[in-house]
């Protein structure tokens, strides 16, 4: 049984995020710990990136929009705002440096658009709280439903 289109998209996002490392020219090694929501472990490995599909909507018959959040968590420090901006830039670079590759993953992707970048505020328990800072990079993936597509 093949994976659903949505899982192919999520898995590809996770794979591209796993390339984030200082050795690859990024600002952090956040790619060393990437998870999808179903498999996120409650461990203390930071930085940690988690890919979460948050919402689905249809735009027309057989066309879908999937909202995806990439959540990053890292240790708080005196320079956490700068670290947060650099991590958001790393995420954007990992996802959008290959503009043509989105169509190559075989999941019917027709467009990918960044939606928002969020940095948690100090003392905000939703931002990670305690010793951790949280950032969220949101994007929308548009794709065609291939489930009943005729074989080529």
């Amino acid at each position: 049984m093949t994976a659903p289109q949505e899982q192919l998209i999520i898995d590809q996002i996770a794979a591209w995020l796993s390339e984030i490392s200082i050795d690859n020219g990024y600002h952090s090694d956040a790619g060393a710990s990437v998870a999808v929501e179903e498999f996120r472990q409650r461990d203390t490995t930071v930085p940690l990136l988690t890919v979460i599909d948050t919402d689905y909507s249809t735009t027309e018959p057989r066309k879908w929009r999937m909202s995806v959040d990439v959540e990053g968590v890292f240790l708080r420090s005196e320079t956490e705002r700068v670290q947060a901006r650099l991590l958001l830039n790393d995420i954007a670079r990992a996802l959008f440096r290959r503009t043509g590759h989105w169509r190559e993953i075989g999941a019917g992707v027709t467009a990918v658009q960044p939606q928002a970048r969020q940095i948690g505020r100090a003392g905000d328990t939703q931002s990670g709280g305690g010793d951790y800072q949280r950032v969220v990079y949101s994007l929308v993936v548009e794709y065609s439903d291939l489930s009943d597509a005729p074989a080529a």
Side-chain angles (χ1 to χ4, degrees):
M1 183 172 132
T2 60
Q5 289 174 255
E6 296 82 6
Q7 191 62 50
L8 291 173
I9 294 167
I10 295 294
D11 290 347
Q12 186 60 66
I13 290 170
W16 286 340
L17 291 171
S18 70
E19 295 174 4
I20 296 174
S21 73
I22 292 169
D23 288 344
N24 288 338
Y26 290 88
H27 300 102
S28 73
D29 287 320
S33 183
V34 178
V36 295
E37 180 63 16
E38 305 89 57
F39 301 109
R40 180 165 55 177
Q41 300 293 320
R42 296 278 184 210
D43 63 29
T44 57
T45 303
V46 289
L48 168 69
L49 297 176
T50 305
V51 182
I52 307 163
D53 48 332
T54 60
D55 187 43
Y56 294 87
S57 61
T58 185
T59 57
E60 58 185 82
R62 303 184 63 77
K63 302 283 185 187
W64 288 89
R65 291 172 55 97
M66 176 174 61
S67 298
V68 177
D69 286 346
V70 176
E71 178 183 277
V73 177
F74 59 93
L75 287 173
R76 289 190 181 278
S77 72
E78 292 179 8
T79 60
E80 67 187 49
R81 300 297 287 184
V82 172
Q83 287 179 302
R85 291 183 196 103
L86 291 172
L87 180 53
L88 288 169
N89 287 337
D90 283 350
I91 293 167
R93 181 173 163 221
L95 297 179
F96 292 99
R97 69 185 181 97
R98 313 167 176 82
T99 54
H101 292 155
W102 283 99
R103 290 187 174 92
E104 296 172 14
I105 65 173
V109 174
T110 58
V112 180
Q113 303 164 343
Q115 291 296 301
R117 296 179 182 205
Q118 302 170 5
I119 300 174
R121 294 196 169 127
D124 177 6
T125 57
Q126 293 297 316
S127 71
D131 295 333
Y132 301 100
Q133 172 62 288
R134 178 176 168 259
V135 298
V136 178
Y137 189 98
S138 301
L139 59 143
V140 171
V141 179
E142 296 181 4
Y143 61 99
S144 298
D145 183 356
L146 301 178
S147 61
D148 295 323

